[in-house]
Amino acid sequence: MADAIAVLNAGSSSIKFSVFAQAGTDLALAVRGQIESIYTAPRFTAKSATGETISTHAWDQGTRLGHDGALEHIVAFLRDQAEGLSLKGVGHRVVHGGMAYSQPVRVDRKVLQDLEQFIPLAPLHQPHNLTPIRIMLEDRPELPQVACFDTAFHRAQPEVAQMFALPRELHDAGVRRYGFHGLSYEYVASVLPQLDPAAAKGRTVVLHLGNGASMCALSAGCSTASTMGFTAVDGLPMGTRCGALDPGVILYLMDQRGMDARAIEKLIYNESGLLGVSGVSSDMRTLLDSAEPRARLAVDLYVYRIGRELGSLAAALGGLDALVFTGGIGENSAEIRERVCRAAAWLGVVPDGQANRAGEPRISMPASKTAAWVVATNEELMIARHTRRVLG
Ligand code: ADP
């Protein structure tokens, strides 16, 4: 029997899962899948390690399966699949660990209570991340669970990088720049030594460009600055999030438009970014295929903002040795990579158009002073590795 670790990533309307089995000294993917639309029209899919669909199920429109029903289906599926595997524990993606949790942690009732206190800091993610943990603590108390945080990797940042210029009392109360996508950055940092040993020891900016998007400055593999701050709405424009915004805009909306916190939350998290600017879609593929001038403008703004943040992170690093693209857009869109590399010419990036279009790992010319790379992120593997380590 091979030891195995299950990984769960629960959102508001979906639960993604994967199982990793011991393979030599590392872990290898055995199976992965998800249940989507768990409160409206649930659909289950599971795929083998090589990507073949091995199981599907769809519930009737209007079925409210919920997190508990979805989890039950996943557990039953995994029990059927478990032949030859001995499940040692479950690792969970949890967006916020606050200041207290700068490392993955085994969850008990006390830890769960602590993590619930961070719900106001990540209202759209944290409650859903915690739901399966709560259910499993009740139903399967014998199964060890480990929480892995998107914020933890950034706790290594210098103090100034984690501060707002607000009165000290607010900083002490936890109003700080936390940074997110840490599991993705940690994974990229873990593979960088094989790709580019010099950059791994030097100064790298990683661009995680997905529906959520952020950038992180790595110095010798450690996070030194990032574009996301107190919440995951800061920094770059994203699919539907606005990114960095003059706080005066919020005051204006409250005073002049009579908007309350919930209305502003909806605006800046769900109605802005690529969707808000284009009026067409939050999906980069749709925008790149669109002839609509506002779709082009949304993409122009996206690339422009990345270029400016790149300058800021390169300044925080005191120079730049490499750029790494990851996330759905970073891994798949040659056009966005090409445009970002062109905006980074002043930092010594000379893109190799052919390698970029071919989707090669190295997309900069051999003579490029600053290298550019594409790395497929693997947050799930990172969570499985952490879980195995925490559980010894
Ligand atoms: P999430 O943050 O939800 O995990 P992903 O990392 O999967 O999101 O990224 C989703 C984004 O990636 C979408 O905007 C999608 O359009 C974009 N994307 C995926 N494939 C391509 C592609 N071939 N070209 C351009 N964008 C792409």
Side-chain angles (χ1 to χ4, degrees), residues 176-375:
R176 299 169 182 226
R177 298 185 58 86
Y178 290 100
F180 297 89
H181 288 137
L183 293 157
S184 174
Y185 294 128
E186 196 177 4
Y187 175 76
V188 171
S190 80
V191 297
L192 205 52
Q194 289 98 62
L195 276 184
D196 189 336
K201 291 197 205 98
R203 301 155 302 182
T204 303
V205 169
V206 186
L207 302 91
H208 179 109
L209 308 177
N211 276 319
S214 72
M215 295 162 66
C216 178
L218 297 178
S219 178
C222 296
S223 173
T224 57
S226 54
T227 59
M228 280 180 170
F230 181 57
T231 65
V233 77
D234 196 10
L236 301 176
M238 308 172 214
T240 60
R241 290 173 241 168
C242 61
L245 187 69
D246 175 350
V249 174
I250 306 282
L251 297 177
Y252 171 85
L253 295 174
M254 293 169 75
D255 285 343
Q256 303 300 319
R257 297 273 185 114
M259 290 173 79
D260 64 9
R262 294 290 75 75
I264 293 174
E265 179 180 82
K266 187 160 166 259
L267 177 81
I268 64 177
Y269 278 92
N270 302 120
E271 298 171 351
S272 297
L274 295 173
L275 175 66
V277 177
S278 70
V280 172
S281 173
S282 64
D283 194 296
M284 183 57 86
R285 267 169 303 199
T286 310
L287 297 181
L288 290 173
D289 289 343
S290 170
E292 186 70 40
R294 284 174 56 191
R296 296 309 303 172
L297 184 62
V299 178
D300 290 349
L301 176 58
Y302 187 76
V303 172
Y304 170 78
R305 290 288 315 149
I306 291 174
R308 283 190 53 174
E309 293 290 347
L310 184 57
S312 167
L313 294 175
L317 286 167
L320 191 63
D321 301 307
L323 283 183
V324 181
F325 292 89
T326 192
I329 298 171
E331 291 166 32
N332 296 299
S333 176
E335 180 175 341
I336 297 294
R337 290 195 301 258
E338 170 87 31
R339 291 182 61 177
V340 170
C341 286
R342 272 196 262 125
W346 67 281
L347 284 165
V349 179
V350 184
D352 177 339
Q354 205 178 339
N356 183 35
R357 283 186 297 279
E360 285 178 18
R362 182 169 172 138
I363 59 165
S364 55
M365 299 298 270
S368 186
K369 187 176 79 58
T370 299
W373 300 92
V374 182
V375 172

Side-chain angles (χ1 to χ4, degrees), residues 104-122:
V105 64
R106 184 160 173 180
V107 194
D108 56 20
R109 273 172 218 290
K110 159 78 176 67
V111 171
L112 182 61
Q113 267 173 12
D114 285 353
L115 300 181
E116 282 167 348
Q117 288 172 20
F118 305 136
I119 288 175
L121 303 188

